[in-house]
């Protein structure tokens, strides 16, 4: 009988053997926190009075965690943690770079504003049926999507946020909500199916789902594998998620149906997850294949801009109008992906960060304008808001300028960057689409201000008739003021955000630091939960 070997097994090639630095835990704590809080709120589902305070406290902590993560990534470069101590590509990786950390922080700020707004917008029935647990689950999915380094787990986090969004969109169970939820669900499930098919195809070609591993191997497979077809599948799937033309019709048919705070979350966050995934895959993983598809993406971008701008111009319902503004913004971001230069990608990222704050705030504006107008969403029935709420009207005006891309607000800088990038490559028609869509959006928002705010409304009855402040008080004014302040600040002082987005775009164009974070030269690298 052979004696057992006394030589210890060398695990360093397969497992991480050193404990992770405490700062590296920032990459997984946002997701863990949201899942834990969602579970805790479900455990106290009969004590709904505690849901709001606990959720708001958790969202404040989420903002702080994401702020710490962004600082660490900005100073030290991308950070990676892998599950189960298994080294990549076998261990599932969480990897945060500047793009993921910045998007996660912007999403957390928008979610915090929405959580505070929900204290006034969501009644006891909505809380009893799980608004705040769904919100925590939604943010777990959004945070996971921005921070994962594995493309299959990107799909998993998409599913997590979709499940929670289904619960949020039908909160109230009104016929209009059920109709909107059906359209929302069918188109998103089609997009999810395409995404899953593309992932299966990807694994068959690469034998891995780790994004850094794919970025390394793609160079050697371009001559033998049909990567353009694979990239086209991903582009189509993410275009459906982001509501890009010609698969954008589900968004204006569904985003106006839930409570206004839910619409704000959807308009501010969910479409940006699709844009983020498209940027990550098309720019970092398959840049050569993106170049082959650039004309198709550019045409889709131009048509998305025009569809959104013309749709907004034709609307009488202010909720639908804001939905079309979301679509117009998606077109601008797609233009950056189509052009593909670091300057254009920087513009697309900057636009996404701006849109998260601005679109969330515009839905708040729509909800408060309807309340002040006696509960109507129709521009034909609204009027005189400026006389009854001058400070709210001033904030609305600033947000309208930001959404239109006019100075001196945050929407100006990404449009300037995208316009310049278009002209630099000779795509004058794409630059023209950016300018024309911006003009049409300006006209549509000017129409809203003239009709709903400036025009008198004789015979007004109902809420707001006496010129009193909003019934929600600080719970509505605080989140709206917070987001408006951010829009103004980054409009007047854009340099920090411009520098961040330029560095993020450079990191996508040359993902060496990202790959090094996942596959360090030393197998003993820390960073494992």
């Amino acid at each position: 009988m052979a004696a057992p070997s006394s030589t210890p097994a060398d695990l360093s090639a397969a497992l991480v053997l050193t404990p992770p630095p405490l700062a590296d835990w920032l990459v997984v704590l946002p997701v863990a926190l949201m899942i834990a809080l969602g579970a805790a709120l479900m455990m106290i589902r009969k004590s709904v009075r505690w849901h709001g305070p606990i959720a708001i406290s958790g969202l404040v902590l989420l903002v702080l965690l994401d702020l710490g993560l962004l600082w660490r990534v900005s100073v030290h470069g991308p950070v990676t943690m892998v599950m189960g101590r298994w080294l990549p590509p076998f261990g599932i990786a969480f990897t945060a770079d500047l793009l993921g950390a910045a998007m996660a922080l912007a999403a957390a700020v928008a979610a915090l504003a929405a959580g505070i707004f929900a204290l006034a917008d969501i009644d006891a029935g909505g809380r009893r049926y799980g608004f705040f647990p769904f919100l925590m689950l939604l943010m777990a999915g959004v945070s996971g999507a921005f921070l994962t380094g594995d493309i299959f787990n990107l799909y998993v986090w998409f599913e997590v946020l979709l499940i929670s969004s289904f619960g949020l969109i039908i909160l109230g169970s009104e016929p209009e909500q059920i109709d909107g939820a059906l359209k929302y669900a069918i188109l998103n499930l089609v997009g999810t199916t395409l995404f899953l098919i593309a992932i299966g195809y990807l694994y068959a070609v690469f034998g891995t789902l780790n994004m850094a591993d794919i970025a390394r191997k793609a160079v050697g497979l371009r001559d033998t594998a049909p990567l353009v077809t694979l990239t086209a599948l991903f582009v189509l799937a993410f275009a459906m998620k982001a509501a890009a033309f010609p698969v954008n019709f589900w968004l204006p048919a569904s985003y106006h149906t839930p409570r206004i705070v839910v619409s704000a979350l959807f308009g501010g966050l969910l479409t940006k997850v699709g844009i983020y995934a498209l940027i990550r895959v098309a720019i970092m993983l398959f840049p050569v294949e993106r170049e082959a598809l650039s004309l198709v993406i550019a045409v889709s971008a131009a048509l998305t801009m025009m569809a959104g701008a013309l749709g907004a111009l034709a609307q009488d319902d202010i909720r639908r109008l804001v939905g079309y503004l979301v679509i117009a913004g998606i077109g601008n971001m797609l233009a950056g992906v189509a052009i593909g230069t670091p300057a254009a990608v920087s513009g697309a990222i900057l636009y996404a960060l701006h849109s998260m704050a601005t679109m969330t705030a515009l839905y708040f504006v729509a909800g408060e304008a309807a309340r002040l107008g006696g509960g109507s969403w129709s521009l034909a029935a609204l009027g005189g808001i400026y006389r009854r709420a001058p400070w709210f009207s001033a904030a609305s005006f600033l947000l309208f300028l930001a959404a239109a891309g006019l100075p001196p607000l945050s929407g100006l800088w990404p449009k300037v960057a995208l316009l310049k990038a278009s002209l630099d490559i000779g795509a004058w028609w794409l630059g023209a689409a950016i300018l024309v869509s911006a003009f049409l959006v300006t006209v549509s928002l000017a129409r809203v201000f003239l009709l709903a705010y400036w025009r008198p409304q004789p015979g007004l009855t109902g809420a707001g008739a006496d010129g009193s402040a909003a019934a929600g008080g600080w719970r509505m004014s605080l989140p709206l003021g917070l987001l408006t302040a951010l829009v103004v600040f980054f409009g007047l002082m854009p340099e920090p955000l411009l520098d961040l987005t330029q560095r993020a775009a450079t990191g996508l164009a040359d993902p060496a630091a990202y790959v090094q974070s996942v596959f360090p030269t030393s197998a003993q690298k820390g960073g494992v939960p």
Side-chain angles (χ1 to χ4, degrees), residues 135-152:
L135 175 58
M136 299 297 102
L137 185 61
L138 181 78
M139 288 310 299
V142 170
S143 300
F146 289 147
L147 300 177
T148 186
D150 182 280
I151 203 160
F152 180 77

Side-chain angles (χ1 to χ4, degrees), residues 382-428:
L382 293 174
I385 293 176
Y386 175 77
R387 287 180 177 274
R388 295 190 299 281
W391 288 107
F392 167 71
S393 300
S396 301
F397 183 71
L398 291 173
L399 291 167
F400 290 170
L401 291 179
L406 296 176
L409 285 309
S410 62
L412 171 68
W413 306 110
K415 289 198 175 183
V416 169
L418 292 169
L419 179 61
K420 184 179 184 301
S422 300
L423 298 179
D424 285 345
I425 65 167
W428 60 267

Side-chain angles (χ1 to χ4, degrees), residues 319-333:
R319 293 171 301 175
R320 288 179 178 269
L321 188 149
V322 177
Y324 278 103
L325 295 182
V326 173
I327 293 173
I330 294 300
N332 284 275
M333 293 174 241

Side-chain angles (χ1 to χ4, degrees), residues 21 114-115 134 156 255 310 314 326 329 346 365 372 414 440 457 477 503:
F134 279 133
V156 170
Y255 272 26
L310 290 171
V326 173
S346 173
V365 164
L372 289 168
L440 294 176
Q457 186 186 20
S477 60
R503 291 169 58 197

Side-chain angles (χ1 to χ4, degrees), residues 256-468:
H256 69 286
T257 59
R259 297 302 299 250
I260 200 66
V261 68
V262 176
S263 297
L265 284 166
F266 287 10
L269 303 185
L270 298 195
T271 52
K272 310 314 179 296
V273 179
I275 287 293
Y276 164 83
L278 182 58
I279 291 173
R280 179 70 71 190
V281 170
I283 302 299
M284 190 179 88
L285 302 187
F286 302 119
V288 175
E289 293 71 26
R290 181 215 56 82
E291 180 67 26
L293 297 169
S294 60
L295 180 59
V296 175
I297 300 173
V299 170
S300 176
L303 292 175
T304 303
M305 285 183 239
M306 297 310 298
L310 290 171
L313 195 60
Q315 293 306 306
D316 178 67
D317 186 308
I318 56 175
R319 293 171 301 175
R320 288 179 178 269
L321 188 149
V322 177
Y324 278 103
L325 295 182
V326 173
I327 293 173
I330 294 300
N332 284 275
M333 293 174 241
L334 278 179
V337 176
I339 298 167
T341 61
V345 175
S346 173
I349 298 170
L350 184 59
Y351 201 108
L353 297 174
H354 146 79
S355 183
M356 282 183 171
T358 305
M359 291 301 111
T360 303
L362 280 181
Y363 273 108
F364 293 167
V365 164
E368 184 65 354
R371 193 201 65 78
L372 289 168
S376 174
W377 301 100
S378 172
L379 290 177
L382 293 174
I385 293 176
Y386 175 77
R387 287 180 177 274
R388 295 190 299 281
W391 288 107
F392 167 71
S393 300
S396 301
F397 183 71
L398 291 173
L399 291 167
F400 290 170
L401 291 179
L406 296 176
L409 285 309
S410 62
L412 171 68
W413 306 110
K415 289 198 175 183
V416 169
L418 292 169
L419 179 61
K420 184 179 184 301
S422 300
L423 298 179
D424 285 345
I425 65 167
W428 60 267
W429 58 273
L430 187 56
I434 293 172
L435 290 176
V436 172
S437 68
F439 173 74
L440 294 176
V441 167
T442 303
V443 172
S444 67
L445 289 171
R447 176 171 167 263
V448 172
F449 197 82
L450 288 174
L451 293 179
Y453 289 76
W454 200 255
R455 180 187 63 174
Q457 186 186 20
L460 174 67
T461 59
D466 60 354
S468 59

Side-chain angles (χ1 to χ4, degrees), residues 98-124:
L98 278 175
L99 172 61
M103 296 287 278
L105 176 58
V109 171
L112 174 60
I116 298 171
F117 193 90
L119 295 176
D121 190 53
I122 301 297
D123 57 19

